[in-house]
Amino acid sequence: MRFNEKELIFLSRQPSERAAELGMRGPKKGDVMKRRLVKLIVNFLFYFRTDEEEPIGALLLEQCRVEREDDMAFSIAFLDEAERKYLFECDSQEQCLEWIDAIIKASYEFMRKNLIFYRSEIHRLTGKDPLEQYGISDETRFQVSSGLPPLPPPPT
Amino acid sequence: MKLNERSVAHYATCNSPPDKTGFLWKKGERNPTYHRRWCVLKGNMLFYFEERDSREPVGVIVLEGCTVELCDSESEEFAFAIRFDCARARVYKLAAESQVAMESWVKALSRATFDYMRLLVRELERQLEEAQQGALSQQAKNKPKKSQVQGGTGGRSKPTSLQGPLTQPTGSPEEGLLSLIPGKENGVSWNKPAGLSNGVGEGSGVVWEAESRGDSVRPPPIPPRRKTPGGSLEDPVSPGTGCFSKLHDWYGKEVAELRVEWLQSQ
């Protein structure tokens, strides 16, 4: 599958949400734990050799599951291959929890759910659709019943 | 650079609903001919397939950091381009099959970035906090008597899937949402796509009436047409634009002017 690698590499140089040197082990049998610079940018996790400018790779953080593995370790697995886990070792419990939290919140789909929730709640509390003022109420992207057409108004 | 391609491809075809789909003509990577591709926009990724029923995408364009612009093409009507800001970046040339389709795609793609969504979420988060403050102070004023029924907001039915802890104003709305995520025993959360078990579900029959639109809101104009080809374009999402409404106005001004121009030229 082709992807815009140059642009992704450029993205990996942007300011990150979170970055740290962590131990990282790939999902394949025989992969060993290595020290990597790990950077969280939008919904991607980039990983670098600690002294290199260009990332070795990137993980798109959609459709994934983050799990605490140990006191100071967590794993990321993707739903289409749930047994293959990427393992990360942190330097403290606190750091581990922070990373888990950050990665969960990094997914686009997670943000979308938040948005839909806020939209509904604001509507419930104020009677107004907050997206109306921006003229984007009808965008599929923001629908309460995601993807389905908006519900017709009930008969009065 | 490595990428978890299989999982990325899975995101394209999994059951979460896409933001937009349709056929687009895409200019080839190596050769200059246009190929008809089935395109699926999901989140900040534009996938393209050979056929509508292809199981795997031919490729994906990660839309982060891009600008979408109309372009003049000798061979293609309804052409537009996805342009990136980095050095030696590609320009993806695409063409829709009608004016309406083109405008719709340009709009959808311009709003596809993570940054856009993040700004919007933060703005709504702020608005929700305000609304919750308002509701709290309202409750404090109305001392409920036994015989009196708390009116609420005009008898509107609550979204049924948002019951439970979320209907009480919590400290942080995000915490409220997170508490719905079924945790594992050791307190870890799933990053589940297909809805939460009792939370904001997809297609779970959320009851929310669309407001009747007496004065219908016009759809927003399409994003600005860039007149300078190539080169580095000014990034509209400047670091200073932390406020969504300012950002929206920024887009809106230039667009409104262009729209007037275009309408007058018809």
Side-chain angles (χ1 to χ4, degrees):
Chain A
M1 187 186 72
R2 295 188 215 135
F3 62 95
N4 48 334
E5 183 168 338
K6 263 202 217 100
E7 288 76 16
L8 261 184
I9 291 174
F10 181 72
L11 182 64
S12 77
R13 295 207 195 99
Q14 304 315 303
S16 62
E17 185 68 30
R18 177 169 284 271
E21 258 190 48
L22 301 176
M24 178 177 175
R25 192 185 76 198
K28 293 192 278 218
K29 236 181 174 183
D31 279 345
V32 291
M33 185 72 69
K34 297 198 179 135
R35 204 89 182 133
R36 296 285 181 241
L37 172 62
V38 179
K39 273 175 97 172
L40 178 62
I41 298 174
V42 299
N43 51 349
F44 281 93
L45 195 70
F46 294 98
Y47 49 100
F48 303 70
R49 282 190 193 88
T50 50
D51 54 352
E52 285 180 9
E53 285 241 334
E54 254 189 42
I56 305 169
L59 299 175
L60 173 70
L61 299 170
E62 303 293 338
Q63 305 281 302
C64 72
R65 163 189 182 165
V66 191
E67 237 183 335
R68 185 104 177 262
E69 290 293 334
D70 217 330
D71 230 27
M72 304 201 288
F74 66 91
S75 67
I76 300 177
F78 295 93
L79 298 187
D80 58 321
E81 335 176 283
E83 328 77 37
R84 294 182 76 221
K85 292 183 179 184
Y86 291 80
L87 190 66
F88 296 86
E89 254 176 27
C90 304
D91 294 328
S92 73
Q93 252 192 65
E94 194 187 348
Q95 191 189 39
C96 184
L97 290 171
E98 285 172 5
W99 271 97
I100 291 172
D101 188 63
I103 290 170
I104 289 168
K105 291 178 180 170
S107 110
Y108 189 97
E109 296 301 328
F110 179 86
M111 276 204 305
R112 193 208 301 269
K113 285 187 167 65
N114 268 280
L115 185 106
I116 289 170
F117 168 65
Y118 295 152
R119 185 186 183 188
S120 286
E121 275 299 285
I122 291 169
H123 186 265
R124 186 181 68 82
L125 291 172
T126 66
K128 291 204 197 105
D129 173 6
L131 297 187
E132 194 130 348
Q133 69 173 131
Y134 303 120
I136 50 180
S137 312
D138 291 337
E139 285 270 338
T140 316
R141 203 173 276 284
F142 309 124
Q143 287 319 307
V144 173
S145 45
S146 326
L148 302 176
L151 297 168
T156 36
Chain B
M1 187 187 73
K2 287 191 239 175
L3 179 67
N4 55 331
E5 288 180 38
R6 255 207 303 249
S7 304
V8 174
H10 176 250
Y11 177 49
T13 52
C14 76
N15 55 14
S16 66
D19 297 307
K20 193 170 176 62
T21 59
F23 282 105
L24 288 173
W25 292 87
K26 182 178 169 296
K27 197 170 185 182
E29 321 253 327
R30 294 284 151 79
N31 64 59
T33 48
Y34 279 77
H35 302 274
R36 195 165 186 251
R37 296 285 185 233
W38 176 251
C39 295
V40 173
L41 174 63
K42 227 185 226 191
N44 56 351
M45 327 267 289
L46 180 67
F47 296 92
Y48 48 99
F49 297 75
E50 185 143 354
E51 307 281 344
R52 184 168 181 164
D53 48 13
S54 301
R55 284 188 58 232
E56 279 188 24
V58 171
V60 62
I61 303 172
V62 177
L63 297 167
E64 219 52 45
C66 77
T67 44
V68 186
E69 49 186 67
L70 307 174
C71 64
D72 292 320
S73 165
E74 285 122 26
S75 53
E76 295 298 314
E77 271 190 293
F78 320 121
F80 59 98
I82 299 175
R83 190 184 290 275
F84 290 87
D85 214 3
C86 56
R88 296 173 295 137
R90 265 206 58 167
V91 179
Y92 290 87
K93 290 227 167 113
L94 298 157
E97 296 182 324
S98 71
Q99 179 73 16
V100 170
M102 181 198 68
E103 292 189 5
S104 175
W105 273 104
V106 169
K107 251 195 284 196
L109 290 166
S110 318
R111 296 185 185 135
T113 63
F114 191 93
D115 275 337
Y116 180 92
M117 179 60 92
R118 180 159 47 190
L119 270 173
L120 201 45
V121 169
R122 283 187 190 153
E123 172 63 21
L124 290 203
E125 198 171 12
R126 188 192 62 79
Q127 283 188 26
L128 179 59
E129 278 181 40
E130 273 180 19
Q132 285 171 342
Q133 295 303 324
L136 272 174
S137 56
Q138 196 61 40
Q139 275 174 28
K141 285 182 202 158
N142 309 343
K143 288 181 189 158
K145 296 177 189 148
K146 275 187 192 163
S147 55
Q148 186 186 28
V149 174
Q150 195 76 17
T153 45
R156 200 173 274 98
S157 56
K158 288 182 188 174
T160 51
S161 69
L162 293 176
Q163 304 240 312
L166 292 178
T167 53
Q168 290 137 34
T170 51
S172 148
E174 225 172 76
E175 283 167 21
L177 185 70
L178 281 177
S179 73
L180 288 189
I181 301 175
K184 303 208 118 209
E185 270 163 57
N186 55 356
V188 168
S189 311
W190 271 88
N191 183 6
K192 236 187 209 180
L196 310 166
S197 62
N198 59 336
V200 185
E202 285 152 35
S204 60
V206 175
V207 180
W208 178 22
E209 307 94 60
E211 298 223 35
S212 60
R213 306 243 169 78
D215 46 331
S216 59
V217 175
R218 282 194 323 149
I222 40 185
R225 181 197 181 119
R226 304 291 170 187
K227 299 209 172 112
T228 50
S232 102
L233 304 165
E234 188 188 17
D235 183 1
V237 188
S238 72
T241 341
C243 173
F244 184 76
S245 56
K246 281 202 193 124
L247 177 70
H248 206 265
D249 287 345
W250 192 97
Y251 271 109
K253 240 183 330 183
E254 215 184 308
V255 171
E257 285 168 19
L258 282 163
R259 199 164 174 84
V260 168
E261 245 180 64
W262 184 82
L263 284 170
Q264 286 171 349
S265 69
Q266 295 309 296

mmCIF file of all heavy atoms in Angstrom, chain B residues 250-265:
data_model
loop_
_atom_site.group_PDB
_atom_site.id
_atom_site.type_symbol
_atom_site.label_atom_id
_atom_site.label_comp_id
_atom_site.label_asym_id
_atom_site.label_seq_id
_atom_site.Cartn_x
_atom_site.Cartn_y
_atom_site.Cartn_z
ATOM 1 N N TRP B 250 -11.141 33.504 9.747
ATOM 2 C CA TRP B 250 -9.984 33.657 8.847
ATOM 3 C C TRP B 250 -10.285 32.996 7.516
ATOM 4 O O TRP B 250 -10.081 33.573 6.468
ATOM 5 C CB TRP B 250 -8.754 33.037 9.504
ATOM 6 C CG TRP B 250 -7.466 33.370 8.850
ATOM 7 C CD1 TRP B 250 -6.589 34.343 9.201
ATOM 8 C CD2 TRP B 250 -6.898 32.710 7.703
ATOM 9 N NE1 TRP B 250 -5.507 34.327 8.351
ATOM 10 C CE2 TRP B 250 -5.653 33.351 7.431
ATOM 11 C CE3 TRP B 250 -7.297 31.655 6.882
ATOM 12 C CZ2 TRP B 250 -4.830 32.977 6.389
ATOM 13 C CZ3 TRP B 250 -6.480 31.270 5.830
ATOM 14 C CH2 TRP B 250 -5.243 31.929 5.591
ATOM 15 N N TYR B 251 -10.732 31.757 7.585
ATOM 16 C CA TYR B 251 -11.108 31.059 6.357
ATOM 17 C C TYR B 251 -12.247 31.790 5.660
ATOM 18 O O TYR B 251 -12.251 31.934 4.453
ATOM 19 C CB TYR B 251 -11.606 29.640 6.689
ATOM 20 C CG TYR B 251 -10.522 28.597 6.723
ATOM 21 C CD1 TYR B 251 -10.124 28.033 7.938
ATOM 22 C CD2 TYR B 251 -9.909 28.155 5.549
ATOM 23 C CE1 TYR B 251 -9.143 27.059 7.969
ATOM 24 C CE2 TYR B 251 -8.934 27.177 5.591
ATOM 25 C CZ TYR B 251 -8.548 26.631 6.798
ATOM 26 O OH TYR B 251 -7.590 25.682 6.849
ATOM 27 N N GLY B 252 -13.192 32.206 6.474
ATOM 28 C CA GLY B 252 -14.434 32.748 5.930
ATOM 29 C C GLY B 252 -14.267 34.021 5.121
ATOM 30 O O GLY B 252 -14.881 34.185 4.072
ATOM 31 N N LYS B 253 -13.414 34.928 5.599
ATOM 32 C CA LYS B 253 -13.271 36.237 4.934
ATOM 33 C C LYS B 253 -12.850 36.097 3.476
ATOM 34 O O LYS B 253 -13.519 36.559 2.561
ATOM 35 C CB LYS B 253 -12.213 37.076 5.668
ATOM 36 C CG LYS B 253 -12.758 38.360 6.202
ATOM 37 C CD LYS B 253 -11.720 39.256 6.864
ATOM 38 C CE LYS B 253 -10.569 38.542 7.515
ATOM 39 N NZ LYS B 253 -9.656 39.490 8.197
ATOM 40 N N GLU B 254 -11.724 35.431 3.307
ATOM 41 C CA GLU B 254 -11.173 35.275 1.957
ATOM 42 C C GLU B 254 -12.154 34.531 1.062
ATOM 43 O O GLU B 254 -12.346 34.860 -0.097
ATOM 44 C CB GLU B 254 -9.866 34.483 2.054
ATOM 45 C CG GLU B 254 -8.823 34.923 1.065
ATOM 46 C CD GLU B 254 -7.576 34.056 1.139
ATOM 47 O OE1 GLU B 254 -7.036 33.888 2.243
ATOM 48 O OE2 GLU B 254 -7.171 33.546 0.093
ATOM 49 N N VAL B 255 -12.773 33.547 1.638
ATOM 50 C CA VAL B 255 -13.696 32.720 0.875
ATOM 51 C C VAL B 255 -14.910 33.515 0.452
ATOM 52 O O VAL B 255 -15.372 33.412 -0.687
ATOM 53 C CB VAL B 255 -14.125 31.510 1.730
ATOM 54 C CG1 VAL B 255 -15.245 30.763 1.058
ATOM 55 C CG2 VAL B 255 -12.940 30.596 1.953
ATOM 56 N N ALA B 256 -15.439 34.310 1.369
ATOM 57 C CA ALA B 256 -16.616 35.118 1.048
ATOM 58 C C ALA B 256 -16.325 36.038 -0.132
ATOM 59 O O ALA B 256 -17.130 36.161 -1.056
ATOM 60 C CB ALA B 256 -17.051 35.910 2.267
ATOM 61 N N GLU B 257 -15.124 36.627 -0.116
ATOM 62 C CA GLU B 257 -14.747 37.532 -1.212
ATOM 63 C C GLU B 257 -14.666 36.779 -2.538
ATOM 64 O O GLU B 257 -15.164 37.228 -3.562
ATOM 65 C CB GLU B 257 -13.390 38.169 -0.928
ATOM 66 C CG GLU B 257 -13.445 39.259 0.121
ATOM 67 C CD GLU B 257 -12.051 39.657 0.592
ATOM 68 O OE1 GLU B 257 -11.078 39.359 -0.122
ATOM 69 O OE2 GLU B 257 -11.948 40.247 1.674
ATOM 70 N N LEU B 258 -14.044 35.622 -2.488
ATOM 71 C CA LEU B 258 -13.891 34.832 -3.700
ATOM 72 C C LEU B 258 -15.231 34.390 -4.249
ATOM 73 O O LEU B 258 -15.436 34.318 -5.454
ATOM 74 C CB LEU B 258 -13.035 33.594 -3.397
ATOM 75 C CG LEU B 258 -11.541 33.889 -3.312
ATOM 76 C CD1 LEU B 258 -10.823 32.758 -2.616
ATOM 77 C CD2 LEU B 258 -10.963 34.115 -4.699
ATOM 78 N N ARG B 259 -16.111 34.068 -3.333
ATOM 79 C CA ARG B 259 -17.425 33.603 -3.756
ATOM 80 C C ARG B 259 -18.173 34.711 -4.494
ATOM 81 O O ARG B 259 -18.815 34.466 -5.522
ATOM 82 C CB ARG B 259 -18.227 33.158 -2.535
ATOM 83 C CG ARG B 259 -19.393 32.256 -2.900
ATOM 84 C CD ARG B 259 -19.903 31.534 -1.659
ATOM 85 N NE ARG B 259 -21.101 30.784 -1.935
ATOM 86 C CZ ARG B 259 -21.107 29.568 -2.441
ATOM 87 N NH1 ARG B 259 -19.990 28.972 -2.727
ATOM 88 N NH2 ARG B 259 -22.256 28.946 -2.651
ATOM 89 N N VAL B 260 -18.084 35.902 -3.947
ATOM 90 C CA VAL B 260 -18.718 37.058 -4.608
ATOM 91 C C VAL B 260 -18.127 37.239 -6.005
ATOM 92 O O VAL B 260 -18.843 37.398 -6.989
ATOM 93 C CB VAL B 260 -18.514 38.337 -3.764
ATOM 94 C CG1 VAL B 260 -18.890 39.577 -4.560
ATOM 95 C CG2 VAL B 260 -19.344 38.254 -2.491
ATOM 96 N N GLU B 261 -16.807 37.165 -6.071
ATOM 97 C CA GLU B 261 -16.108 37.281 -7.361
ATOM 98 C C GLU B 261 -16.626 36.266 -8.353
ATOM 99 O O GLU B 261 -16.928 36.571 -9.486
ATOM 100 C CB GLU B 261 -14.621 36.993 -7.126
ATOM 101 C CG GLU B 261 -13.702 38.157 -7.377
ATOM 102 C CD GLU B 261 -12.251 37.722 -7.109
ATOM 103 O OE1 GLU B 261 -11.769 36.835 -7.840
ATOM 104 O OE2 GLU B 261 -11.646 38.277 -6.185
ATOM 105 N N TRP B 262 -16.699 35.022 -7.886
ATOM 106 C CA TRP B 262 -17.104 33.925 -8.753
ATOM 107 C C TRP B 262 -18.533 34.093 -9.218
ATOM 108 O O TRP B 262 -18.845 33.918 -10.389
ATOM 109 C CB TRP B 262 -16.923 32.598 -8.006
ATOM 110 C CG TRP B 262 -17.220 31.397 -8.836
ATOM 111 C CD1 TRP B 262 -16.388 30.791 -9.718
ATOM 112 C CD2 TRP B 262 -18.450 30.679 -8.876
ATOM 113 N NE1 TRP B 262 -17.010 29.721 -10.306
ATOM 114 C CE2 TRP B 262 -18.275 29.616 -9.819
ATOM 115 C CE3 TRP B 262 -19.681 30.803 -8.233
ATOM 116 C CZ2 TRP B 262 -19.286 28.704 -10.110
ATOM 117 C CZ3 TRP B 262 -20.679 29.882 -8.529
ATOM 118 C CH2 TRP B 262 -20.477 28.851 -9.453
ATOM 119 N N LEU B 263 -19.400 34.456 -8.263
ATOM 120 C CA LEU B 263 -20.806 34.644 -8.612
ATOM 121 C C LEU B 263 -20.972 35.751 -9.644
ATOM 122 O O LEU B 263 -21.771 35.638 -10.571
ATOM 123 C CB LEU B 263 -21.621 34.979 -7.352
ATOM 124 C CG LEU B 263 -21.919 33.789 -6.433
ATOM 125 C CD1 LEU B 263 -22.502 34.271 -5.114
ATOM 126 C CD2 LEU B 263 -22.849 32.803 -7.086
ATOM 127 N N GLN B 264 -20.200 36.801 -9.492
ATOM 128 C CA GLN B 264 -20.301 37.933 -10.421
ATOM 129 C C GLN B 264 -19.790 37.579 -11.800
ATOM 130 O O GLN B 264 -20.212 38.149 -12.801
ATOM 131 C CB GLN B 264 -19.535 39.140 -9.860
ATOM 132 C CG GLN B 264 -20.283 39.785 -8.720
ATOM 133 C CD GLN B 264 -19.428 40.832 -8.025
ATOM 134 O OE1 GLN B 264 -18.234 40.935 -8.265
ATOM 135 N NE2 GLN B 264 -20.056 41.613 -7.170
ATOM 136 N N SER B 265 -18.882 36.622 -11.845
ATOM 137 C CA SER B 265 -18.307 36.259 -13.140
ATOM 138 C C SER B 265 -19.196 35.299 -13.904
ATOM 139 O O SER B 265 -18.952 34.971 -15.049
ATOM 140 C CB SER B 265 -16.928 35.613 -12.942
ATOM 141 O OG SER B 265 -17.088 34.353 -12.324
#
